[in-house]
Amino acid sequence: MHLYESIIPSGNVYKIQLLLTHLGINYETTSLDILATPSKTRTESFLKLNPSGQIPVLVLDDGTPLAQSNAIIYYLAENTPYLPSDKLGRHKVLEWLFFEQNSIEPYVSVYKFHTYWGDLGALSEGERNKLKERGQLAIDVMERHLEGREWFVDEVFGVADVALYGYVVHAEVIGYSVGSRVKAWLKRVEGVEGHVPIKKDPTGKCPL
Amino acid sequence: MHLYESIIPSGNVYKIQLLLTHLGINYETTSLDILATPSKTRTESFLKLNPSGQIPVLVLDDGTPLAQSNAIIYYLAENTPYLPSDKLGRHKVLEWLFFEQNSIEPYVSVYKFHTYWGDLGALSEGERNKLKERGQLAIDVMERHLEGREWFVDEVFGVADVALYGYVVHAEVIGYSVGSRVKAWLKRVEGVEGHVPIKKDPTGKCPL
């Protein structure tokens, strides 16, 4: 398999790397400069892999390109211990995957990007507040869900945990409030055998 | 089945109603006032159905509540002609469902809400521009994908078309630019036998 990622660390890319590592699947990578103008994800050749011009893209050994981080990890997890085998269990996983892409990623990811690589000062106070408020609401939903639970679905580490971990792991350091249950869950994810952290930023702009 | 929806029309609710109608499944509804302070989706009893406090929720006949619009339509479409039976086809559907919730809904839905029920003037020019720009990028991706295609996945009307139609149907009237291929596709969706339009706004604030 071949993973198209970005030079700077991306939570969406990292989800795939984390799951591939747990699955024991080897892969090669190509790193694209998404900070270039235009972004290197807007070239003719990359748009053939993913017409939306977004990383990550995972190219299977037969040449098939897969896009959308959470769709990719769902695909990889089918028929493995990281995805429930029953229909309702799979639905519960998809609920969290859509929640992550709709209620967390558009806010926490954008706020993180502007904190380190964009320009947080270029956003109006209203824009910054909205990114903080909406992301916070979602993190608070996670905190409530974890009452009496160790993992997000079926009390076993799986693809919903992988998806949610990708950005929430850095939420507190960029200024979100993260409750004690979410913090304990982050530690549990990091304690799963074979865990790998997100890569360091080679540009040095992000100290994480 | 029992569908929890909002008094004002919601694209996320409508997707489920459109698919349930095509599937010939009868359902009852409860309409909640999401404009109330606090929203009627924040009551104890509703939060038990969906801890994220969002409509839609579809309660199955055995009492199981399903949340997240695109997860619900994926669940309903399994083993029907509206979802491919092969793994790669289902992945392609999920790519578009995540694209819709990550790149369209957070922008077009929010812009539509502020146009009719919120206060567009309360958003800064920067915020309005961002909602317009990001939604427009996504609609343009749809336009390019439809080159030489009639439907989004496998050249058959299915759950990806249902998901994308929910908000894009009203994109042009609120100020987005919608290309000729997307317009022709909207017409095709409306031409599928059994099509039902989104409900009228009972508050009269939205003229659609």
Side-chain angles (χ1 to χ4, degrees):
Chain A
M1 295 189 188
H2 197 106
L3 180 65
Y4 287 82
E5 58 153 349
S6 65
I7 291 175
I8 62 170
S10 150
N12 284 330
V13 167
Y14 170 58
K15 296 169 195 172
I16 298 167
Q17 297 179 305
L18 180 54
L19 184 61
L20 284 171
T21 304
H22 280 306
L23 290 169
I25 296 174
N26 292 321
Y27 61 98
E28 296 175 336
T29 58
T30 297
S31 291
L32 302 174
D33 186 356
I34 64 167
L35 300 179
T37 310
S39 165
K40 295 301 181 192
T41 59
R42 303 282 161 176
T43 61
E44 278 287 315
S45 61
F46 187 77
L47 288 172
K48 271 183 198 153
L49 292 175
N50 185 7
S52 74
Q54 297 171 318
I55 50 104
V57 168
L58 183 68
V59 180
L60 302 180
D61 292 338
D62 68 1
T64 305
L66 308 182
Q68 289 290 337
S69 60
N70 286 0
I72 295 171
I73 58 176
Y74 188 91
Y75 180 97
L76 291 171
E78 265 196 82
N79 301 314
T80 80
Y82 301 99
L83 190 71
S85 56
D86 65 302
K87 183 174 175 176
L88 186 60
R90 289 195 306 273
H91 168 79
K92 290 287 168 196
V93 168
L94 281 181
E95 282 187 0
W96 287 108
L97 298 192
F98 282 112
F99 176 82
E100 194 271 335
Q101 282 291 290
N102 186 253
S103 301
I104 295 179
E105 203 273 353
Y107 309 108
V108 179
S109 161
V110 172
Y111 199 84
K112 183 181 174 187
F113 180 84
H114 280 282
T115 300
Y116 296 120
W117 301 285
D119 181 1
L120 209 50
L123 299 177
S124 72
E125 195 181 338
E127 286 175 284
R128 286 198 302 274
N129 288 344
K130 203 144 289 177
L131 292 173
K132 291 296 283 291
E133 280 165 23
R134 288 183 173 251
Q136 189 63 54
L137 272 176
I139 293 167
D140 293 346
V141 167
M142 291 173 62
E143 180 74 11
R144 286 198 299 276
H145 181 73
L146 286 174
E147 185 177 353
R149 287 188 177 93
E150 297 224 321
W151 305 107
F152 275 85
V153 176
D154 287 357
E155 283 304 81
V156 59
F157 171 70
V159 77
D161 302 289
V162 169
L164 291 162
Y165 182 83
Y167 284 101
V168 176
V169 60
H170 291 147
E172 189 175 38
V173 74
I174 58 173
Y176 291 90
S177 170
V178 176
S180 60
R181 292 186 207 116
V182 170
K183 279 185 189 169
W185 164 79
L186 291 171
K187 289 276 176 222
R188 276 194 294 277
V189 173
E190 288 151 16
V192 174
E193 195 182 334
H195 180 80
V196 284
I198 192 166
K199 74 173 185 181
K200 295 286 178 193
D201 176 26
T203 72
K205 289 182 179 169
C206 173
L208 299 173
Chain B
M1 294 189 189
H2 197 104
L3 180 65
Y4 286 82
E5 59 153 349
S6 65
I7 291 174
I8 62 171
S10 150
N12 284 330
V13 167
Y14 169 58
K15 296 169 196 173
I16 298 167
Q17 297 179 306
L18 181 54
L19 184 61
L20 284 171
T21 304
H22 281 305
L23 290 169
I25 296 174
N26 292 320
Y27 61 97
E28 297 176 335
T29 58
T30 297
S31 292
L32 302 174
D33 187 356
I34 63 167
L35 300 179
T37 310
S39 165
K40 295 300 181 192
T41 59
R42 303 280 162 178
T43 61
E44 277 287 315
S45 60
F46 188 78
L47 288 172
K48 272 184 198 154
L49 292 175
N50 185 7
S52 75
Q54 297 170 318
I55 51 104
V57 168
L58 183 68
V59 180
L60 301 180
D61 291 339
D62 69 1
T64 305
L66 309 182
Q68 290 288 337
S69 59
N70 286 0
I72 295 171
I73 58 176
Y74 188 91
Y75 180 97
L76 290 171
E78 266 196 82
N79 301 313
T80 81
Y82 301 98
L83 190 70
S85 56
D86 65 303
K87 182 173 176 176
L88 185 60
R90 290 197 304 274
H91 168 78
K92 291 286 169 196
V93 168
L94 281 181
E95 282 187 359
W96 286 109
L97 298 192
F98 282 112
F99 176 83
E100 194 270 338
Q101 281 291 291
N102 186 252
S103 301
I104 294 180
E105 204 272 354
Y107 309 109
V108 178
S109 161
V110 172
Y111 200 84
K112 183 181 173 187
F113 180 84
H114 280 282
T115 300
Y116 296 119
W117 301 284
D119 181 1
L120 210 48
L123 299 177
S124 71
E125 195 182 338
E127 286 175 283
R128 287 198 302 275
N129 287 346
K130 203 144 290 176
L131 292 173
K132 291 296 283 290
E133 280 166 22
R134 288 183 173 253
Q136 189 63 54
L137 271 176
I139 293 167
D140 292 346
V141 168
M142 293 173 62
E143 181 74 11
R144 285 197 299 277
H145 181 73
L146 286 174
E147 185 176 353
R149 288 188 176 93
E150 298 224 320
W151 304 106
F152 275 86
V153 176
D154 287 357
E155 283 303 81
V156 59
F157 171 71
V159 77
D161 303 287
V162 169
L164 291 162
Y165 181 83
Y167 284 101
V168 175
V169 60
H170 290 148
E172 188 175 39
V173 75
I174 57 173
Y176 291 90
S177 171
V178 176
S180 59
R181 292 185 207 117
V182 170
K183 279 185 190 169
W185 164 79
L186 291 170
K187 290 276 176 222
R188 277 193 293 278
V189 173
E190 288 151 16
V192 175
E193 196 182 333
H195 180 80
V196 284
I198 192 167
K199 74 172 185 182
K200 295 285 178 193
D201 176 25
T203 72
K205 290 182 179 170
C206 173
L208 298 173

